Each structure stands twice: as C-alpha cells, then as structure tokens.
Amino acid sequence: MTSPTGQTDRIMAIWNEHLEISKALPGLAPAVSNAVDLIFSSLAASGQLLIAGNGGSAADAQHIAAELTGRFLRERRPFRALALHGNTSALTAIGNDYGYEYVFARELSAHVRPGDVFLAITTSGNSQNILRAIEAAHKSKAAVIGLTGESGGQMRTACDLCICVPSKSTARIQEMHITIGHAICELLEERLAEA
C-alpha cells in the first residue's frame, strides 16, 4: 500500500529537521568529552553513575544504564549505573508520601556517595523533580551533568556541566540525547577496558 499524498514529504521534513540539528552536535563535542571524563573518573574509582529523567528521558536514562551495566560494543566488566526510576515501588511510595517533585531526590539520596556522578535528563531543563535531585546530588558531593534542550532552563546554571541540544522540539532533543548517550557509552567502554 502506498503512502497517502504528502505523507512521504512530511516524513522527509521530520528527518531533515533531525539532520539539521545533528549538524550542531560537533559544537557539543567538548562538553560531551568533559562528561566522559567526569563519569570515567568516578567509575574508575569505584563510583557510580545515577541517571534520571521523566517520560522519554526516563527511557533514555534506563537505556544508558543498561548499556553500561550490560555491554555496549564489547565484552567487559559491568559498570555501576542506575536509572533512578527503575524501582516502581519506591517511585510511587515517594511520590505518594512526599510529592512527585521528590521522587528522584529521595531515591538519589539513598544511593549517592561523594565522587559519584548524577546525569540529569530533561528536555526543558525545568522539571522540578530533576532540579530537586540536582540539589540532593550537590549536597552529597556528587558531580552533576545536565542533558537538556536549547535554553537549558533552570538546569543550565544548576549543573557542574550542562549539555544543551540546540533545539526547542522535544522529539528532536531526545533523538540527540540518545546519540550523545551512545557516544558517552562507547568512549567509557573504550577507556575503562584499558584502565
């Protein structure tokens, strides 16, 4: 069955928008390299990477954690990475007892140690539960990397390192986030295999 008239054009427009935004990624390479350095230093010293996001960003958090605890491209030891929303009983209990804005901060506080890294993912940079988790990470002396969209929102100044994808489109930002996440995983795997 052929596509309805104009549907192929719409698909091409979506993909062309994706390609245009991806052309801006080289400008983010120094920040992504710094993120790899922060995470590498933590993991090499028996620290861990804690990751959180909402919705599609939660899926990205879980995806990145899975690549690190399992494997990405090569056989190697598992790396310590945890997506904070993975325990649904804790997530719903904390949301019910303390409010949804505390679901990540409370979970992070239970697991984080000085020297760990928190990767905070939000396309707007303004998710209250992410911002509270950033505060909790700083109190625990963990480094914070933000992965967000064009403006960076409130997260831009709250993180030790904030990587802002130059787009306002949630879908396109999330597509770039997983591209960045895969680059981080590949580089960590290469470096930690040699460490």
Side-chain angles (χ1 to χ4, degrees), residues 49 51 53 62 65 84 87 93 118 135 140 165-166 171 181 183:
L49 176 65
I51 318 168
Q62 200 161 338
L84 292 174
N87 182 341
F118 175 45
E135 291 171 8
S140 298
V165 171

Side-chain angles (χ1 to χ4, degrees), residues 63-75:
H63 183 155
I64 293 165
E67 301 290 18
L68 295 175
T69 57
R71 71 165 178 249
F72 187 63
L73 297 175
R74 59 173 73 185
E75 287 297 330

Side-chain angles (χ1 to χ4, degrees), residues 11 20 28 52 77 90 105 126 151 164:
I11 291 167
E20 281 304 308
L28 300 178
R77 67 180 174 86
N126 294 317
S151 76
C164 303

Side-chain angles (χ1 to χ4, degrees), residues 26-165:
L28 300 178
V32 174
S33 178
N34 289 339
V36 171
D37 289 343
L38 278 171
I39 300 167
F40 170 79
S41 295
S42 178
L43 295 179
S46 299
Q48 66 181 328
L49 176 65
L50 301 156
I51 318 168
N54 294 291
S57 298
D60 288 344
Q62 200 161 338
H63 183 155
I64 293 165
E67 301 290 18
L68 295 175
T69 57
R71 71 165 178 249
F72 187 63
L73 297 175
R74 59 173 73 185
E75 287 297 330
R76 39 81 178 163
R77 67 180 174 86
F79 306 142
R80 296 180 67 211
L82 177 68
L84 292 174
H85 67 280
N87 182 341
T88 55
S89 294
L91 185 80
T92 55
I94 295 165
N96 184 64
D97 296 345
Y98 296 94
Y100 190 68
E101 65 272 23
Y102 292 99
V103 292
F104 298 134
R106 185 93 177 162
E107 186 81 5
L108 182 138
S109 294
H111 298 288
V112 73
R113 299 292 176 264
D116 288 346
V117 176
F118 175 45
L119 176 59
I121 310 173
T122 164
T123 58
S124 70
N126 294 317
S127 299
Q128 288 304 303
N129 56 6
I130 294 291
L131 293 170
R132 290 190 188 269
I134 290 170
E135 291 171 8
H138 284 309
K139 284 180 187 171
S140 298
K141 303 198 181 334
V144 178
I145 300 167
L147 200 51
T148 188
E150 187 170 65
S151 76
Q154 296 172 56
M155 192 166 75
R156 182 186 287 270
T157 57
C159 298
D160 298 300
L161 172 65
C162 196
I163 302 168
C164 303
V165 171

